[in-house]
């Protein structure tokens, strides 16, 4: 197909067709019989041409430039046409270069759907874009690049303007979409008007962005907002130049404000919750010629309906807290930056100070409010520091690691609470959960609570991820040597209720030898899994970890490892696993990294498990997991039978002894309390045992008489023999020795009983056998010992007991 372009000279328009940059030439332009790679048609020319290919849009682009002189002649104000007609379907750029006096202003007014500013390098969805440049003398300032469908309705410029419209080859657009009007001088670089009729969010940039704003220039944005809407301004990216004079600033003109213009630094929190329309101006400064720096700004304006609860405030009392910050933010902060088009939630410290992110410091009380339709998109992240300055004082204190009520009462979900625990040298940190206890999150034993604790031990040289823990386990406490970071992370709304039972505490304790020590008191009915810190990346080199496992009484613990080897190869040093029961004389089981780990074994007492790492070779790492279960102690059947048999034997012996005693008691004559001088009562003893002489000790005095003693006057002859003498006291008149006496005979047996019919004489009595034995009687249940009164009335102790019995009228 052939094309004919006819340009009128008065239109002052030039058309250029040229190859696209970076495209190899495989298509040419043919004018009559001449082949050329490009074509330039000047004002007054009439040219007919064709392409040597069927798809010229792949190879060629077209520029249509129109020069408008508003200095030497009248300006063609009004709608701007796309001229000339009948152009080939190529990617094309229309350029309008308007020259005007700096004493006057030009206005570019866009028809709906207006324009939306985009960042450099960004493309428009329909590939149709506008670029506006301000031309003052010989200087050109890029006001910005815009797409269709936005809020920018007018751009007023000082001096000339270079306006361009980029259209793709397939665009059906036939009008430019704007007109040019003459205005009086605006006394600033430009004014950009934006109309915000409904809830929306727009992004705008300073001229030349991301390059520098012109030195000592002033520009203004006008925002037209319905009076029943609320607007907020947020600065997302800015930088400052090096000023020699004046100061870079932002000025707001807000209708109804008592302090117009309101001046802010770029680093300040910008006004929010503005009712109705307002203006915002950016003012530059005189820059340092040697090091000017760059002033640039990218900001966002959000328009919302007023919230129903915008006047409802929430008290956040942090006046009694120390070393704590509370940040209220949007979900995903700080790693995720919300898209400008996302609905926005604002947190306000006062009606005009609002932001997407608000940080509150300890030591003060705040009243905050929210401009947000859906508070579920907000989160809270808090951080608290606890340090030990005076070791003697802080070792006596227990710190609670619970979320303050001031945070829990807010209608915002807590995302994370971080405790940073700092300990001085030779002081360690102990974390305790006395009632709930902690469960280590492992593959075989996952946490299913609404929150968990991430514990990290850190030094300037290395960091050890101790693990993730949740309440409801078996770990009572964890002792660690270094500074600790504990991060409480929530997963659902259930934390509001579960937080009421938090019992995590910490204290500063004396130095421990291991990097980390766990104290474990498992539930006897549960199977407990424990694994080394740093999972799955392994323990750092030369780190030692210990577990102290309590075994309940009347139960047996069974200890087993999930793998049969440690899985590490040592470059220097050795890796060890040590197992030992906490009881006297217990044997210690030790395994090196090149040995098989012990088979599952029974532990009858509290026991230790210690893991010590070496310096591993290459990528090998020490990761170890073990488990503990419990069972009731079973008494061995053989032991039970032996005990029963032993008890039976003892019972049989007892019965036999009782029977024998009873029989003997029936067959023997009653014992008689008579002194028999012919009986040898001396037991062989060594001399010199007693140091007292016979007259100085009381060994011849007896406190009681055996129950079997029967008094002579009550005895009855059963065989016609003569009854023994009764009620006779025979004083001893022989020599007294120094040896203690032997006990008297226990009873008179039948085989040694004296009878008148036997005719046997008793054996002779030696001098040492002639000791006198005196019986002291027991009266009214008390023992009356008169042996101490040697010098006074010794005869009282020798009153025959039988005589007293008769006087008392006792009979048997």
């Amino acid at each position: 197909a052939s094309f004919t372009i006819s340009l009128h000279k008065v239109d002052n328009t030039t058309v250029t067709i040229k190859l696209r940059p970076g495209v190899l030439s495989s298509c040419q332009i043919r004018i009559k019989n001449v082949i050329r790679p490009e074509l330039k048609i000047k004002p007054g020319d009439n040219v007919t041409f064709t392409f040597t290919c069927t798809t010229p849009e792949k190879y060629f682009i077209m520029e249509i430039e129109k020069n408008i002189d508003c200095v030497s002649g009248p300006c063609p104000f009004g709608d701007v046409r796309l001229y000339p007609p009948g152009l080939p379907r190529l990617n094309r750029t229309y350029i309008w270069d308007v020259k005007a006096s700096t004493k006057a202003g030009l206005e570019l007014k866009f028809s709906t759907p207006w324009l939306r500013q985009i960042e450099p390098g960004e493309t428009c969805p329909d590939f149709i874009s506008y670029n506006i440049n301000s031309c003052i003398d010989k200087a050109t300032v890029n006001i910005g690049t815009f797409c269709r469908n936005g809020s920018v309705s007018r751009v007023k410029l000082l001096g000339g303007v270079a306006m361009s419209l980029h259209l793709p080859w397939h665009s059906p657009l036939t009008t430019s979409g704007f007109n040019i009007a003459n205005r009086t001088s605006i006394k600033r670089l430009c004014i950009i008007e934006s109309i915000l009729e409904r809830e929306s969010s727009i992004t705008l940039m300073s001229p030349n962005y991301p390059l520098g704003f012109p030195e000592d220039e002033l520009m203004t944005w006008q925002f037209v907002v319905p009076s029943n809407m609320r607007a907020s301004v947020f600065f997302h990216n800015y930088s400052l130049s090096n000023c020699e004079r004046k100061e870079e600033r932002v000025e707001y003109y807000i209708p109804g404000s008592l302090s117009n213009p309101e001046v802010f630094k770029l680093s300040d929190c910008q006004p929010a919750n503005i009712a109705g329309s307002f203006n915002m101006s950016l003012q530059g400064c005189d820059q340092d010629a040697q090091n000017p720096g760059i002033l640039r700004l990218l900001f966002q304006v959000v328009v919302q309906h007023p919230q129903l609860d915008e006047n409802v405030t929430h008290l956040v009392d942090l006046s009694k807290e120390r070393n704590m910050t509370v940040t209220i933010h949007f979900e995903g902060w700080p790693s995720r930056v919300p898209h400008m088009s996302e609905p926005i939630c604002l947190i306000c410290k006062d009606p005009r100070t609002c932001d997407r992110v608000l940080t509150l410091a300890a030591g003060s009380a705040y009243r905050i409010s929210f401009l947000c339709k859906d508070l579920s998109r907000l989160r809270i992240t808090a951080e608290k520091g606890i340090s030990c300055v005076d070791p003697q004082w802080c070792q006596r204190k227990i710190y609670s690691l619970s979320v303050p009520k001031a945070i829990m009462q807010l209608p915002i979900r807590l995302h994370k609470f971080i405790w940073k625990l700092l300990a001085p040298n030779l002081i360690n940190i102990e974390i305790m959960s006395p009632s709930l206890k902690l469960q280590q999150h492992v593959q075989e034993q996952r946490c299913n609570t609404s929150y968990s604790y991430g514990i990290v031990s850190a030094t300037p040289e290395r960091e050890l991820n101790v693990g993730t823990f949740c309440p409801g386990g078996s770990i009572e406490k964890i002792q660690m040597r270094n500074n600790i970071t504990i991060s409480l992370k929530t997963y659902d709304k259930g934390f509001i209720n579960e937080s009421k039972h938090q019992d995590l505490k910490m204290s500063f304790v004396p130095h421990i030898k291991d990097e980390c020590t766990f104290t474990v008191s498992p539930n006897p009915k549960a199977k407990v899994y424990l694994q080394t810190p740093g999972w799955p990346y392994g323990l750092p080199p030369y780190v030692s970890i210990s577990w102290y496992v309590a075994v309940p009484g009347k139960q047996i613990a069974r200890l087993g490892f999930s793998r049969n080897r440690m899985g590490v190869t040592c470059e220097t040093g050795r890796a060890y696993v040590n197992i030992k029961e906490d009881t006297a004389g217990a044997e210690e089981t030790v395994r090196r990294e090149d040995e098989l780990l012990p088979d599952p074994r029974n532990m009858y007492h509290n026991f230790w498990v210690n893991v010590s790492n070496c310096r591993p070779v290459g990528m090998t790492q020490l990761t170890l997991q073990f488990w503990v279960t419990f069972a009731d102690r079973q008494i061995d059947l053989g032991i039970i039978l032996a005990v029963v048999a032993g008890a039976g034997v003892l019972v049989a012996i007892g019965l036999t002894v009782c029977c024998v005693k009873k029989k003997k008691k029936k067959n023997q004559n009653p014992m008689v309390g008579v002194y028999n001088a012919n009986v040898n009562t001396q037991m062989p003893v060594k001399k010199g045992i007693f140091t007292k002489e016979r007259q100085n000790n009381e060994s011849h005095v007896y406190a009681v008489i055996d129950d079997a003693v029967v008094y002579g006057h009550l005895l009855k002859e059963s065989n016609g023999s003569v009854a023994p003498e009764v009620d006779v006291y025979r004083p001893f008149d022989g020599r007294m020795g120094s040896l203690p006496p032997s006990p008297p005979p226990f009873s008179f047996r039948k085989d040694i009983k004296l009878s008148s019919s036997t005719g046997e004489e008793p054996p002779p009595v030696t001098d040492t056998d002639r000791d006198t034995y005196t019986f002291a009687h027991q009266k009214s249940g008390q023992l009356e010992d008169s042996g101490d009164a040697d010098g006074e009335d010794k005869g009282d102790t020798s009153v025959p007991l039988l005589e007293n019995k008769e006087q008392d009228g006792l009979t048997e």
Side-chain angles (χ1 to χ4, degrees), residues 516-758:
C516 183
T517 300
F518 298 84
T519 300
V520 186
S521 295
N523 184 338
K525 298 180 180 180
K527 185 174 185 179
V528 179
Y529 288 90
L530 299 166
Q531 64 187 21
T532 52
W535 192 281
Y537 306 106
L539 278 178
Y542 306 121
V543 167
S544 178
I545 308 293
S546 291
W547 292 264
Y548 182 74
V549 183
V551 179
K554 299 182 180 180
Q555 289 203 316
I556 301 173
R558 188 155 182 84
L559 168 68
F561 292 88
S562 299
R563 298 193 311 240
N564 59 0
R565 289 187 180 274
M566 297 187 212
V568 65
T569 303
C570 292
E571 180 179 341
T572 56
R574 287 287 193 181
Y576 291 96
V577 171
N578 300 61
I579 304 169
K580 186 178 181 181
E581 287 187 310
D582 188 14
T583 184
E587 293 186 0
E588 183 173 8
T589 302
V590 181
R591 293 291 187 274
R592 294 191 318 228
E593 81 282 353
D594 56 350
E595 297 176 327
L596 291 175
L597 292 172
D599 293 330
R601 58 180 52 202
N602 292 336
M603 312 296 286
Y604 297 89
H605 305 88
N606 300 346
F607 62 93
W608 286 93
V609 177
N610 175 268
V611 178
S612 302
N613 198 13
C614 59
R615 178 178 291 280
V617 173
M619 300 300 293
T620 61
Q621 298 293 341
L622 174 53
T623 56
L624 197 65
Q625 184 186 88
F626 62 92
W627 49 262
V628 180
T629 59
F630 293 92
D632 293 334
R633 291 197 182 193
Q634 300 295 332
I635 301 178
D636 188 74
L637 183 59
I639 297 176
I640 295 175
L641 294 176
V643 170
V644 172
V649 170
L650 292 176
V651 171
I653 293 173
L655 291 174
T656 303
V657 170
C658 290
C659 292
V660 170
K661 280 191 173 183
K662 189 172 182 181
K663 184 176 180 181
K664 285 183 177 180
K665 191 171 184 180
K666 287 181 180 180
N667 295 334
Q668 71 182 14
N669 289 329
M671 290 195 298
V672 180
V674 176
Y675 177 76
N676 189 346
N678 296 322
V679 176
N680 181 17
T681 60
Q682 177 67 33
M683 289 182 65
V685 295
K686 292 183 180 180
K687 294 185 179 182
I689 300 298
F690 283 75
T691 58
K692 290 184 179 182
E693 295 295 329
R694 183 73 177 89
Q695 63 271 20
N696 295 329
N697 64 45
E698 301 166 0
S699 57
H700 61 291
V701 178
Y702 288 84
V704 296
I705 300 176
D706 192 87
D707 291 342
V709 173
V710 179
Y711 301 104
H713 72 286
L714 300 177
L715 295 175
K716 294 182 178 180
E717 283 289 318
S718 58
N719 53 5
S721 63
V722 179
E725 281 186 294
V726 296
D727 197 15
V728 177
Y729 173 71
R730 296 181 182 179
F732 177 73
D733 55 0
R735 184 176 60 86
M736 297 179 64
S738 60
L739 293 177
S742 297
F746 204 79
S747 63
F748 291 96
R749 302 181 183 273
K750 291 181 178 181
D751 53 355
I752 64 172
K753 184 176 65 173
L754 294 178
S755 176
S756 59
S757 60
T758 59

Side-chain angles (χ1 to χ4, degrees), residues 794-808:
K794 286 186 179 181
D796 292 343
T797 62
S798 59
V799 177
L801 187 60
L802 182 61
E803 181 180 337
N804 291 343
K805 290 287 184 176
E806 291 175 344
Q807 293 173 359
D808 292 342

Side-chain angles (χ1 to χ4, degrees), residues 36-324:
R36 59 179 66 183
E38 66 177 47
L39 173 64
K40 186 172 184 178
I41 305 172
K42 298 180 180 180
D45 291 347
N46 188 353
V47 179
T48 301
F49 60 92
T50 60
F51 295 99
T52 61
C53 62
T54 57
T55 55
E57 66 274 9
K58 295 181 180 180
Y59 307 100
F60 293 95
I61 59 174
M62 183 165 50
E63 291 181 356
I64 304 98
E65 184 175 358
K66 180 178 178 64
N67 295 315
I68 302 173
D69 187 358
C70 294
V71 176
S72 57
C75 283
F77 296 125
D79 292 337
V80 176
R81 298 181 298 112
L82 296 182
Y83 175 84
L87 297 175
R89 292 167 60 86
L90 302 175
N91 291 345
R92 53 200 182 275
T93 300
Y94 291 90
I95 301 172
W96 295 272
D97 189 358
V98 183
K99 292 179 173 60
S101 171
T102 55
K103 296 180 181 180
L106 292 176
E107 179 183 278
L108 305 178
K109 185 176 181 180
F110 300 93
S111 58
T112 54
W114 300 323
L115 302 183
R116 173 176 62 87
Q117 189 172 9
I118 61 173
E119 296 186 48
E122 189 178 349
T123 58
C124 298
D126 57 2
F127 300 101
I128 298 175
S129 63
Y130 295 84
N131 186 264
I132 304 173
N133 290 274
S134 174
C135 303
I136 302 175
D137 299 328
K138 295 183 179 180
T140 301
V141 178
N142 180 22
I143 302 301
T145 302
F146 302 82
C147 300
R148 298 195 301 171
N149 298 317
S151 63
V152 176
S153 57
R154 289 188 296 177
V155 177
K156 302 173 185 179
L157 302 114
L158 180 67
V161 61
M163 176 74 178
S164 61
L165 170 62
H166 302 276
L167 298 175
W169 65 271
H170 52 77
S171 173
L173 193 66
T174 57
T175 59
S176 65
F178 71 96
N179 61 48
I180 300 178
N182 187 19
R183 290 290 179 266
T184 58
S185 177
I186 58 175
K187 297 181 181 180
R188 60 199 66 203
L189 177 63
C190 66
I191 298 174
I192 298 177
E193 180 186 80
S194 182
I195 300 177
L196 302 165
E197 296 179 318
R198 58 185 182 276
E199 283 194 330
S200 58
S201 172
I202 63 170
T203 302
L204 296 167
M205 285 145 275
S206 59
N208 283 340
Y209 187 89
L211 302 178
F213 186 71
E215 181 179 6
D216 196 23
E217 275 290 358
L218 172 67
M219 75 158 293
T220 298
W221 290 270
Q222 293 179 337
F223 299 100
V224 181
V225 181
S227 59
N228 64 338
M229 306 288 280
R230 301 291 182 266
S232 303
V233 180
F234 305 98
F235 287 3
H236 292 291
N237 189 16
Y238 68 89
S239 63
L240 303 175
S241 57
N242 298 315
C243 298
E244 283 190 344
R245 291 184 303 165
K246 300 182 183 179
E247 186 179 10
E248 296 166 336
R249 63 189 185 275
V250 180
E251 297 179 355
Y252 291 88
Y253 181 84
I254 301 174
S257 173
L258 301 177
S259 57
N260 281 325
E262 297 186 19
V263 180
F264 291 80
K265 295 180 180 180
L266 275 74
S267 57
D268 292 338
C269 183
Q270 303 303 308
N273 203 25
I274 302 171
S277 302
F278 66 99
N279 294 349
M280 172 184 144
S281 298
L282 176 64
Q283 174 68 63
C285 67
D286 291 334
Q287 298 174 349
D288 184 353
Q290 302 298 324
N291 184 22
I294 293 177
L295 171 62
R296 60 186 173 192
L297 173 63
L298 182 148
F299 66 97
Q300 181 186 17
V301 178
V302 177
V303 176
Q304 298 172 290
H305 285 292
Q307 304 302 310
L308 296 176
D309 58 350
E310 64 176 335
N311 295 324
V312 176
T313 60
H314 302 269
L315 176 64
V316 184
D317 188 359
L318 305 179
S319 57
K320 296 182 180 179
E321 299 290 343
R322 296 291 180 270
N323 299 324
M324 188 172 80

